[in-house]
Amino acid sequence: EAKMSRKNKRSLKEKFALKNSLVKEALSEFLGTFILIALGCGCVGQAVLSRGAHGGPMTVSVGFAMAVTIAVYVSGGVSGGHLNPAVSLAMCVTGRLKWTKLPTYILAQLLGAFVGAAAVFGIYYDAFMEYSNGTLEVTGPNATAHIFATYPAPYLSLINGFADQVMSTAVLLLAIFAIFDTRNNSVPKGLEPIAVGLLIIVLTCSLGMNSGCAMNPARDLGPRLFTAVAGWGMEVFT
């Protein structure tokens, strides 16, 4: 009897097991990017909505970086924990990811970021309503759209903004490849996500002022799309 129930248990487990490795990888990227945004934009939300009482630039840069670390721990073993179309593209260019998988990875990352933003809005819904008397504003003293996506500083030109993102994303990718390169001065196995977190801290502290250091199309576009449909309107794109 015990043998039978064990057999049934196993078959039930097997029934629900994901056979398709691409589905597993897509779910992994979805979950990782969800955690990245839920915790990362959660840090920004807490700082903004408390008007600085429960956070500021320091908690945002350290908190967001730790969100990346945890997200890579969650998804790294299954999909590599890219969490970023720029990283996935670089992996394809260097032959570490099949080109055919790229669209699936990017879609999973975008969806994860979108749902992560929805989670932040849900958790802090009452705070949002209280903060701006029920109106969701993109600009002005009660602006809340920047909790979700990055916006350029008032002084920033298009060319300077473009250069800013190219430079910061290039440094991000260069350092990620160095961290995971076993022939380099390699990081002890299992500690790579912490090294990535430290990298995000230094990038946020050094190259974040112009436009918030997105360095990640999914991290920015997913939540921006969410704000567009959740009540901030199409102004989030202009």
Side-chain angles (χ1 to χ4, degrees), residues 91-105:
M91 293 295 175
C92 287
V93 170
T94 54
R96 293 160 202 229
L97 182 70
K98 289 188 187 129
W99 282 99
T100 49
K101 289 184 175 184
L102 185 63
T104 309
Y105 267 58

Side-chain angles (χ1 to χ4, degrees), residues 13-33:
K13 201 173 170 186
E14 279 164 8
K15 241 179 230 155
F16 288 103
L18 290 169
K19 298 282 192 289
N20 187 326
S21 70
L22 185 58
V23 174
K24 280 184 200 170
E25 287 162 34
L27 269 172
S28 167
E29 286 295 312
F30 171 85
L31 190 61
T33 316

Side-chain angles (χ1 to χ4, degrees), residues 91-174:
M91 293 295 175
C92 287
V93 170
T94 54
R96 293 160 202 229
L97 182 70
K98 289 188 187 129
W99 282 99
T100 49
K101 289 184 175 184
L102 185 63
T104 309
Y105 267 58
I106 291 176
L107 187 64
Q109 291 155 358
L110 271 170
L111 281 172
F114 185 93
V115 179
V120 172
F121 186 53
I123 289 290
Y124 282 132
Y125 181 78
D126 292 348
F128 274 102
M129 293 302 111
E130 197 265 338
Y131 185 82
S132 54
N133 296 322
T135 56
L136 303 172
E137 294 169 34
V138 181
T139 51
N142 286 337
T144 44
H146 65 290
I147 288 171
F148 297 96
T150 60
Y151 288 85
Y155 59 77
L156 195 69
S157 69
L158 190 63
I159 290 169
N160 199 172
F162 181 77
D164 170 275
Q165 284 302 299
V166 169
M167 164 83 177
S168 55
T169 308
V171 173
L172 172 76
L173 290 172
L174 174 71

